[in-house]
Amino acid sequence: MEISASSAHDIVTEISSILGQNVNLMDAAGTIIASTDPTRVGTFHGGAAAIIAEELPELVVHVDDEFPGARRGLNLPVRVDGVTQGVIGVTGSYDDVITFGHVLQKMTEILVRENRDKQARDVQVRIRERFLAEWILEGTPLTEAFLERGQRLGIDAGRRYWVAAGQVEGVDGGRHPVDQRVIDRANRLVRDRLESMPGGVFARTPNRLICLFPAEAVSVDDVAEFLRGADHELGRSVGVRLVSGVGDETGDVRRGFLQADKALQVAARRRERLLRYGEIALELILDEIAPEAREAFLARVFRGVPTDQVAAWAHVLEVYYAREGSIQEAAADLLMHKNTLGARLDRLHALTGLNPRSRSDGVLFQLATQLLRR
């Protein structure tokens, strides 16, 4: 019987809870693989071995040890698709167990069949996940053999796709961890929505969900609409939100995923729900700056500012530039008087020699705050 010990135990426990009797499940060799009496697991049951060897329709054991290792009760073959997979036995007097004996047999056969089908599905899921990992994450070359593997799984790896990467975050903006069960529900919702689309492919990593949209059938605007709809539905029915990034149209899905993931990271930093790769030009440039050059640039811009005060100044500048240089609006956001903010900007000018109110020096301060945020 191709069944795990835990699954066999679950079957025995479920049947015993319904019948109120001790139950044993034996494999085709007559070994007890699960029992409501843990001491019997792994022992030999001669009655079960006799049923298998002689193809008996049932076997009643009238007294303990009438067959080696067997106790009185009723034993019945478990047949799935016409093949005897094992034996189910219930302990007790014949009169007590005969009334539900064949119900017990059918229940066991149903449960074993369901377990077998689940194991087959699990294997298929693992095969599909392995293929998706090779294709999307590892960039396996698209050989004829690889494309054929995809076709057998219902995946066309040879077409062009829009690739989107998503990350679930909490309703409170991700300040607290999200329960794994909630993340699983969110993944299922997005997967079901995507796989209802012809040619849509869903994959996942421990902290990313990946959506592939066939480019010949779907525009980038359709992709954005799908992701916004998924975000709305997740917020409504699951209680989490979705941050997404979308790569360029491509036949290289690994490249598309890397682009989408980069856009996702920037969206998370900007606290935006959705960004396309083409919308993050500044971040791409900043990523190319070597750490030594970054530190030298920051030291130049914030010269004269004590190191432990740089972050506080950067926050003031971010708010100021987000308000397009409006002292009044920025001061309101910072919960201070406009004269206080004006004085602080003058103080920064005095410390650094750069005027945060001027266009040219303001560009330097904006780049510096972007680098500090990263």
Side-chain angles (χ1 to χ4, degrees):
M1 185 182 299
E2 296 295 330
I3 185 171
S4 68
S6 61
S7 296
H9 175 74
D10 290 342
I11 291 172
V12 164
T13 301
E14 183 170 349
I15 293 174
S16 179
S17 67
I18 295 171
L19 301 182
Q21 301 284 342
N22 287 326
V23 176
N24 306 303
L25 184 59
M26 284 72 74
D27 63 16
T31 301
I32 300 177
I33 60 173
S35 174
T36 49
D37 179 356
T39 64
R40 302 190 67 189
V41 176
T43 64
F44 180 70
H45 191 292
I51 288 178
I52 298 294
E54 301 174 31
E55 299 184 356
L56 302 176
E58 67 175 45
L59 178 69
V60 178
V61 178
H62 296 282
V63 295
D64 290 353
D65 294 323
E66 181 179 350
F67 293 84
R71 296 179 184 172
R72 68 172 186 156
L74 177 65
N75 300 277
L76 298 157
V78 177
R79 298 178 63 82
V80 178
D81 296 334
V83 178
T84 301
Q85 300 288 324
V87 175
I88 187 73
V90 58
T91 303
S93 69
Y94 181 81
D95 291 339
D96 290 339
V97 300
I98 191 58
T99 54
F100 50 73
H102 291 285
V103 174
L104 162 70
Q105 182 183 37
K106 293 304 177 186
M107 286 175 57
T108 306
E109 290 174 349
I110 290 171
L111 292 172
V112 170
R113 183 180 293 107
E114 288 178 348
N115 179 80
R116 180 202 61 185
D117 294 345
K118 179 181 182 301
Q119 288 180 328
R121 289 193 300 271
D122 290 346
V123 169
Q124 191 68 9
V125 167
R126 288 195 294 272
I127 292 173
R128 181 183 176 89
E129 288 178 345
R130 181 62 240 162
F131 177 85
L132 292 173
E134 292 179 32
W135 182 34
I136 301 171
L137 304 180
E138 300 170 17
T140 298
L142 300 180
T143 63
E144 184 176 346
F146 189 80
L147 292 172
E148 288 177 356
R149 278 178 60 196
Q151 292 292 346
R152 289 195 295 271
L153 295 169
I155 299 171
D156 186 351
R159 72 199 316 180
R160 296 179 68 81
Y161 288 92
W162 300 103
V163 184
Q167 174 180 290
V168 171
E169 73 175 16
V171 175
D172 60 359
R175 291 188 293 272
H176 303 294
V178 180
D179 187 275
Q180 185 60 47
R181 290 171 296 182
V182 174
I183 294 176
D184 290 341
R185 286 180 60 198
N187 281 323
R188 285 195 298 271
L189 185 148
V190 176
R191 180 198 64 201
D192 292 346
R193 286 171 62 96
L194 180 61
E195 292 184 348
S196 67
M197 175 189 301
V201 179
F202 178 85
R204 61 176 294 183
T205 70
N207 59 357
R208 292 285 188 271
L209 57 87
I210 306 169
C211 300
L212 274 60
F213 304 83
E216 74 273 14
V218 176
S219 70
V220 69
D221 291 336
D222 295 330
V223 172
E225 182 179 355
F226 174 95
L227 294 169
R228 293 191 183 99
D231 173 40
H232 175 76
E233 181 63 20
L234 286 173
R236 185 188 66 80
S237 63
V238 184
V240 295
R241 301 300 301 273
L242 182 68
V243 180
S244 304
V246 182
D248 297 333
E249 177 187 340
T250 182
D252 181 347
V253 294
R254 172 171 166 75
R255 175 174 176 271
F257 170 68
L258 293 175
Q259 290 181 345
D261 193 60
K262 177 67 70 175
L264 165 61
Q265 294 175 46
V266 175
R269 284 199 296 268
R270 292 187 188 177
R271 297 184 181 179
E272 297 191 33
R273 305 242 67 83
L274 172 66
L275 281 177
R276 289 185 57 188
Y277 183 71
E279 298 173 317
I280 61 169
L282 177 59
E283 284 79 0
L284 294 175
I285 294 171
L286 295 179
D287 278 347
E288 296 302 316
I289 298 177
E292 315 83 63
R294 181 190 65 181
E295 296 302 324
F297 177 77
L298 290 173
R300 168 66 183 83
V301 172
F302 286 107
R303 68 183 183 276
V305 177
T307 303
D308 61 353
Q309 296 179 19
V310 169
W313 279 111
H315 174 64
V316 170
L317 291 169
E318 278 193 307
V319 175
Y320 174 64
Y321 293 125
R323 286 300 187 176
E324 303 291 341
S326 169
I327 293 284
Q328 185 167 342
E329 292 181 6
D333 289 345
L334 292 165
L335 303 178
M336 65 176 64
H337 193 275
K338 64 179 183 179
N339 292 342
T340 302
L341 176 58
R344 290 194 181 184
L345 294 177
D346 291 341
R347 174 62 178 162
L348 185 62
H349 187 184
L351 287 171
T352 64
L354 300 174
N355 184 1
R357 304 183 197 233
S358 78
R359 178 174 297 179
S360 57
D361 291 349
V363 169
L364 297 177
F365 278 119
Q366 289 182 67
L367 285 173
T369 57
Q370 287 279 349
L371 287 171
L372 282 169
R373 179 187 290 184
R374 303 177 73 78

